[in-house]
Amino acid sequence: MFTRLFSLIGLFFVLVVGAVSVAQAPTPPAAVAPVEPTPFPPPAQQPAAPPVETAPPVIVNPPIMNASPELAPAPVVTAPPAPAPALAVPTPMPPAKPETAEDKLPAKQLFSRVALPSLGHAMAIGYYPRGCLQGGVPLPVTGPTWQVMHLERNRNWGHPSLVKFLEKFAPLAAKATGWKGILVGDMAQPRGGPLPFGHMSHQIGLDVDIWFMPMPDRVLSKDERQNISAINLVSDDWKHLNPKTWTLQHIAFIKTAAEQPDVERVLVNAAIKQELCRVEDKKDNSWMSKVRPWYGHHDHIHVRLKCPADSPNCRKQPPVPGDDSCSAKSLEYWFSDKVLHPKPKPPGPPAKPITLADLPPACKNVLDAPAKPTDKASAE
């Protein structure tokens, strides 16, 4: 009986285990239709970004053209520089002032119509035949031993050193010659610059013409000063002196001027220079090297002073040679036919006049500067 019971239990156990095994066995997949995933909404349309422009590479030391490959250096490629930051656009400058009609006029017209000197420290500007005068001062037209001629020209102006020279020279010349004094011709205009007639120099206030005529023992009137002419010391052939007008006092007159330390040149006619060389031969005549022959100057001496220390823009004249310039070779040119009897020039267009652009830039400021107050009574 127990044996049957155990058999039944065993059979029951076998049945249970089999049922469990069948329940856990994999079931073959059934044919199922594929399920598509739910689509996400499309992204919002964005504007296409512009293409980024890149700077081309910078090539340093490009290869040499027409060179053999082994000699041509390989190009060196560097990275393009970083773009510069944006800069603000600067405010445009005002346009330059247009050239006026006055700027195109000859400089001699512009300077000759100015009646008074400019403000500013007195300075000689430029070169003797190409410059102007700042802060000019007048030589009084009548002094103890001088009188100014041709007052209508308004040319009794100069650098202070020229006025001081004349105030010192006049009594020295009167003493050396026995004259009452000297007659002063042209100096400079109130602001220097080119003169409308008469001279190429006399522009920077350091030149003065002094007549060979002695000053009379009375004060000349304005009419007399305008109409009296200087005397000519040279003969009609322009090779000798006129014995009717030439005197030994003229030698003393010229010598006194040339001996002054601040004098650069004393210009005279070649016939006068020739006579000085004859009279002063074998004498101690160091002053003679300053006396130079030049065209004209038969009725006056032209005295030129050195550039003053207070005028840095004054251009110095080359120093005179060390000799007395009395050699025949030095003088023969002045007595040649091309000097004494020059051939007339063929007709042609007139020479271009000097304009402000031809003068030192400072001369435009001198011309445009306000007038310096001047004691008119002392200048007349």
Side-chain angles (χ1 to χ4, degrees):
M1 182 176 184
F2 285 103
T3 302
R4 184 181 293 179
L5 181 61
F6 283 123
S7 299
L8 291 175
I9 292 172
L11 178 61
F12 177 78
F13 178 79
V14 171
L15 292 175
V16 172
V17 173
V20 172
S21 299
V22 172
Q24 293 181 347
T27 306
V32 181
V35 179
E36 295 183 359
T38 304
F40 289 95
Q45 294 293 326
Q46 298 292 332
V52 178
E53 297 184 359
T54 58
V58 178
I59 300 178
V60 181
N61 298 328
I64 302 174
M65 300 300 295
N66 300 325
S68 58
E70 59 270 19
L71 295 180
V76 179
V77 180
T78 61
L87 298 177
V89 178
T91 303
M93 297 295 291
K97 294 182 179 180
E99 189 179 40
T100 63
E102 185 178 71
D103 294 333
K104 299 179 181 179
L105 292 175
K108 61 184 180 182
Q109 295 183 21
L110 301 176
F111 281 92
S112 62
R113 69 190 187 190
V114 181
L116 293 173
S118 67
L119 282 174
H121 175 73
M123 287 194 300
I125 302 171
Y127 196 48
Y128 300 93
R130 192 64 64 92
C132 58
L133 172 65
Q134 175 177 288
V137 295
L139 174 71
V141 299
T142 302
T145 51
W146 73 84
Q147 294 185 48
V148 177
M149 307 301 286
H150 290 290
L151 303 182
E152 76 282 359
R153 298 179 181 179
N154 194 25
R155 296 180 183 178
N156 61 309
W157 302 84
H159 186 276
S161 62
L162 180 62
V163 173
K164 292 178 182 178
F165 164 79
L166 289 168
E167 292 173 343
K168 176 184 175 182
F169 170 72
L172 291 176
K175 182 179 179 180
T177 59
W179 300 346
K180 296 296 183 180
I182 61 174
L183 298 178
V184 179
D186 288 344
M187 295 168 59
Q189 299 173 128
R191 305 191 187 196
L195 281 73
F197 63 90
H199 309 277
M200 282 297 296
S201 58
H202 291 254
Q203 295 193 26
I204 61 176
L206 298 176
D207 295 288
V208 58
D209 292 342
I210 309 173
W211 290 14
F212 283 127
M213 181 186 297
M215 185 187 82
D217 58 359
R218 62 183 177 84
V219 177
L220 298 172
S221 67
K222 287 187 177 181
D223 288 341
E224 289 176 315
R225 299 187 195 208
Q226 181 174 349
N227 296 315
I228 292 176
S229 300
I231 57 175
N232 181 8
L233 301 185
V234 183
S235 64
D236 292 340
D237 64 0
W238 296 103
K239 294 183 179 181
H240 306 88
L241 297 179
N242 185 347
K244 295 181 180 179
T245 55
W246 173 259
T247 67
L248 294 178
Q249 284 91 339
H250 291 113
I251 298 177
F253 174 63
I254 297 169
K255 179 179 179 180
T256 302
E259 286 180 333
Q260 304 310 307
D262 47 350
V263 169
E264 181 72 48
R265 297 279 199 283
V266 178
L267 305 180
V268 299
N269 181 273
I272 296 174
K273 173 67 177 184
Q274 180 177 251
E275 179 64 11
L276 290 176
C277 292
R278 186 188 69 81
V279 173
E280 296 295 321
D281 185 34
K282 298 180 181 179
K283 293 183 180 180
D284 180 14
N285 53 6
S286 57
W287 57 272
M288 279 281 287
S289 63
K290 294 183 181 180
V291 182
R292 316 299 294 185
W294 198 250
Y295 303 95
H297 300 95
H298 52 276
D299 56 5
H300 68 276
I301 60 172
H302 178 149
V303 178
R304 173 168 293 172
L305 300 188
K306 299 176 181 178
C307 283
D310 63 359
S311 300
N313 293 324
C314 177
R315 177 183 161 193
K316 298 180 181 179
Q317 188 164 8
V320 296
D323 62 357
D324 57 8
S325 68
C326 286
S327 66
K329 185 176 181 180
S330 300
L331 292 173
E332 64 182 0
Y333 166 79
W334 298 102
F335 299 109
S336 63
D337 286 341
K338 65 180 179 181
V339 174
L340 298 181
H341 308 288
K343 295 180 179 180
K345 296 182 179 180
K352 179 181 179 295
I354 297 174
T355 63
L356 275 178
D358 300 317
L359 301 178
C363 290
K364 180 171 176 57
N365 297 332
V366 169
L367 190 63
D368 295 339
K372 179 173 67 174
T374 303
D375 183 1
K376 192 173 181 60
S378 67
E380 294 184 351

